[in-house]
Amino acid sequence: MPLACCAGVNLADLPAPLKVDQPQACEEVLAPIDVPEDHPEDDAIGAYLANRLALINAADEVDAGRACLRDQRFGYAGKGISR
């Protein structure tokens, strides 16, 4: 009998259960990475080191973005952040 009380409700009119404004912090963490330009006249070792540094920075930003998304997911799930 409890199901009969919902018979007059149109399910399409109900809001989505997770319709919320999510913070933009993760998008800021995952900003585009500056990649150094290489030119034929560049020193190969210098270009390698510059590209290596850009790769290290990119990997750090991806890790930070992954942690941000994980923490956001746990926060919205009501589980809090566990580290």
Side-chain angles (χ1 to χ4, degrees):
M1 201 41 107
L3 293 177
C5 68
C6 298
V9 177
N10 184 358
L11 294 178
D13 294 335
L14 295 176
L18 296 178
K19 191 178 235 184
V20 295
D21 291 330
Q22 292 185 330
Q24 300 293 317
C26 295
E27 285 81 359
E28 293 171 9
V29 169
L30 294 171
I33 305 296
D34 290 330
V35 178
E37 291 188 29
D38 296 326
H39 304 286
E41 64 275 1
D42 290 346
D43 174 52
I45 294 173
Y48 169 79
L49 293 175
N51 285 320
R52 174 105 173 119
L53 180 60
L55 178 62
I56 290 169
N57 290 337
D60 289 345
E61 288 198 25
V62 168
D63 290 342
R66 186 180 297 118
C68 181
L69 290 170
R70 181 200 62 226
D71 294 348
Q72 191 177 73
R73 185 177 65 247
F74 283 143
Y76 276 94
K79 297 178 182 177
I81 300 169
S82 62
R83 294 182 194 241

